[in-house]
Amino acid sequence: MTAVEPADAQDSLSEPFLVRHLVALGLAVEYVRAEGNILYRRGADGAELPVLDLVGGFGATVLGHNHPELTRYAAELLDARTPVLAQFSLHPWADDVARKLNAVLHREFGTDEPYSVIFANSGAEAVEAAVKHAELDRVMRVEALRREVEDGVREARTAVRGGAALDPAARAALTAGSAGVAGGDGLQDAEALERLVREVAEADAPHWDAPPVFLAAEGAFHGKLVGSVQLTHNAAFRAPFRALAAPCRFAPLDRPGRLAELAREERRTVSALTVADGVVGVTARELPRVGAVVLEPVQGEGGIREVGPEFAAQAARTAEEAGCPVVVDEIQSGMGRTGAFFASSLVGLRGDYFVLAKGLGGGLAKAAALLVRQSRYRPEFEMAHSSTFAKDGFSTRLAGRVLDLLEADGGALYRLARDTGERLTARLEGVRNDFKDVVKDVRGRGLMLGVEFHDPAAAGPPALQEHVRAGTFGYVLSGYLLREHAVRVFPTASATSTLRIEPSVHLSEAEMDQAESALRGLCRVLRDGDGDRLLAG
């Protein structure tokens, strides 16, 4: 099967650079219809040609393309002239979604603490909202500490005027003129106090307004917007924009203790004056520094890598010790794809914040949500953050229906995702066992799976080796599977030798047969070193 290049592909004014790469890789295909796990493209004779879609909108079509009940409901909403944009009014449908999300969360985590829900249009936007809320909370805690320090100075002045003396250690800390104030009378203590206040203020000044630092895992992907891209480990995405937002530090998944080390390295304190038993002393106070610990239960763009219980537990401990929230990014892993609504519930990681997107809109609407634990929620955020198209009447109603479908029959779709994923994984493991020199690993959970390939031998065609060096080898594999087997897959963004497989929960046995046959065909070509066939367009 040969992909048909669009007539205007080379002249595209929408992402022309990307279009040229799609043409070169054999991926320049226009799809004209979608249903279930199938995308249809137009053939040279005008006929529709089916393509098995294992990309699934990067995880968005957990229920499949154009799910019949969702499309009927969407049509009803449009026919009824349902208001889409009605800002600064009541939103009962958004409230309904929030209640349903809380019910799921309470069931899977065994908690009754409510979570407030902030709506967004995309996963990256919801991550930005999480970063903003965490920073608002941190700044408010910094300001509260600043007021305590200022109150401590006033209390110390009052105490010295009443005859209190400076603690000898505080007196010794003065860097200049200590000998001139070594006595104990009130005047000398007052002068020493004012000098101490000035020196402490000067020493602490750089810390008060220092930006926060965030902690995440190596391989993390949390979006490509100004703030979220700094939480994304891939330097190619992050480094050009590092001056635009707060920095992030990353810990390897196989070294959970590194998270705590990073938090300690970023620790900052300020000095506060205290009065006890008629003596004015100085004590160190922890300054809120870490904005949040951000974590995907299953890394999507990092190569479909699961976060283990030990790393998850360390993330929770580190956040508690740093006084910051754990932000659990369920954008790709959530909505039932892994066999539970929240993949984090499978490793015992209860977030202070949860971020949902992709599947929340049922593959039809752009919908995302940030859930914030009530004990950490700042109501001031409601006036500090807004988004014109978030929380609109169309997407929230669809999201509510999506949640109904997922929760129906006691969560039957979660069990279906788990069982289908196990059968599909067994097939992929069979391919790996038969082609161990080609397939390096099969991993993931439920219907969020990755197949990692060994790099081809250096003796292959120079053009193929160039793709290996450029990090586009996985896209060459994708082009071959599309061209020769009518199967659509893509590599993960930061681990491009790993092909992601994220179909809907309704993947059939026949579709599994097609996927397995296609992968076996690809493996034979790779095993035979037939690079020219891989690159044939």
Side-chain angles (χ1 to χ4, degrees), residues 30-34 39-42 48:
E30 178 188 0
Y31 296 102
V32 296
R33 190 164 65 88
L39 284 167
Y40 294 87
R41 67 176 185 85
R42 191 78 69 191
E48 289 185 350

Side-chain angles (χ1 to χ4, degrees), residues 250-262:
F250 302 91
L253 284 176
D254 60 355
R255 290 181 56 199
R258 181 61 179 151
L259 275 175
E261 292 174 5
L262 291 174

Side-chain angles (χ1 to χ4, degrees), residues 82-140:
T82 301
V84 175
L85 300 175
Q87 296 90 343
F88 269 86
S89 64
L90 298 179
H91 294 276
W93 294 98
D95 295 338
D96 179 61
V97 171
R99 282 191 294 270
K100 290 174 179 176
L101 288 174
N102 268 278
V104 175
L105 193 150
H106 296 162
R107 182 188 71 238
E108 291 198 349
F109 291 94
T111 177
D112 58 1
E113 182 178 2
Y115 280 65
S116 294
V117 180
I118 299 110
F119 288 88
N121 299 286
S122 69
E125 184 185 330
V127 170
E128 295 275 324
V131 168
K132 284 180 64 178
H133 188 281
E135 178 60 359
L136 177 65
D137 176 65
R138 190 191 71 88
V139 167
M140 293 179 75

Side-chain angles (χ1 to χ4, degrees), residues 137-138 141 213-215 259-260 262-264 266-268 286-293 314-326 352 376:
D137 176 65
R138 190 191 71 88
R141 287 186 289 120
V213 64
F214 290 81
L215 303 181
L259 275 175
L262 291 174
R264 285 193 294 269
E266 295 297 336
R267 184 172 181 265
R268 299 291 185 274
E286 188 87 16
L287 184 70
R289 167 72 170 164
V290 178
V293 179
Q314 183 61 67
R317 286 194 299 270
T318 299
E320 183 177 5
E321 291 168 4
C324 71
V326 174
D352 298 301
R376 283 195 169 271

Side-chain angles (χ1 to χ4, degrees), residues 459-471:
L464 184 59
Q465 293 305 313
E466 181 59 33
H467 281 292
V468 173
R469 287 190 292 273

Side-chain angles (χ1 to χ4, degrees), residues 408-497:
D409 300 323
L413 284 179
Y414 308 140
R415 297 188 293 276
L416 180 61
R418 183 188 64 237
D419 296 343
T420 303
E422 288 175 354
R423 296 199 307 276
L424 181 57
T425 298
R427 289 173 177 257
L428 299 178
E429 289 283 4
V431 174
R432 184 180 69 85
N433 291 336
D434 292 342
F435 295 92
K436 291 183 179 178
D437 55 338
V438 175
V439 179
K440 185 176 182 179
D441 194 18
V442 171
R443 55 181 175 263
R445 187 186 284 266
L447 290 170
M448 188 174 177
L449 303 173
V451 180
E452 183 180 4
F453 288 81
H454 292 288
D455 287 344
L464 184 59
Q465 293 305 313
E466 181 59 33
H467 281 292
V468 173
R469 287 190 292 273
T472 52
F473 173 58
Y475 292 95
V476 171
L477 303 184
S478 300
Y480 171 84
L481 288 169
L482 177 61
R483 183 176 67 249
E484 298 293 333
H485 296 279
V487 171
R488 184 173 186 258
V489 295
F490 287 133
T492 58
S494 298
T496 55
S497 291

Side-chain angles (χ1 to χ4, degrees), residues 1 17 51 128-129 131 139 175 177 190 216 262 267 283 293 369 376-377 379 464 486 508 527 530:
M1 182 175 292
F17 179 79
V51 173
E128 295 275 324
V131 168
V139 167
T175 60
L262 291 174
R267 184 172 181 265
T283 185
V293 179
R376 283 195 169 271
Y377 183 64
L464 184 59
S508 68
R527 183 189 58 194
D530 194 353

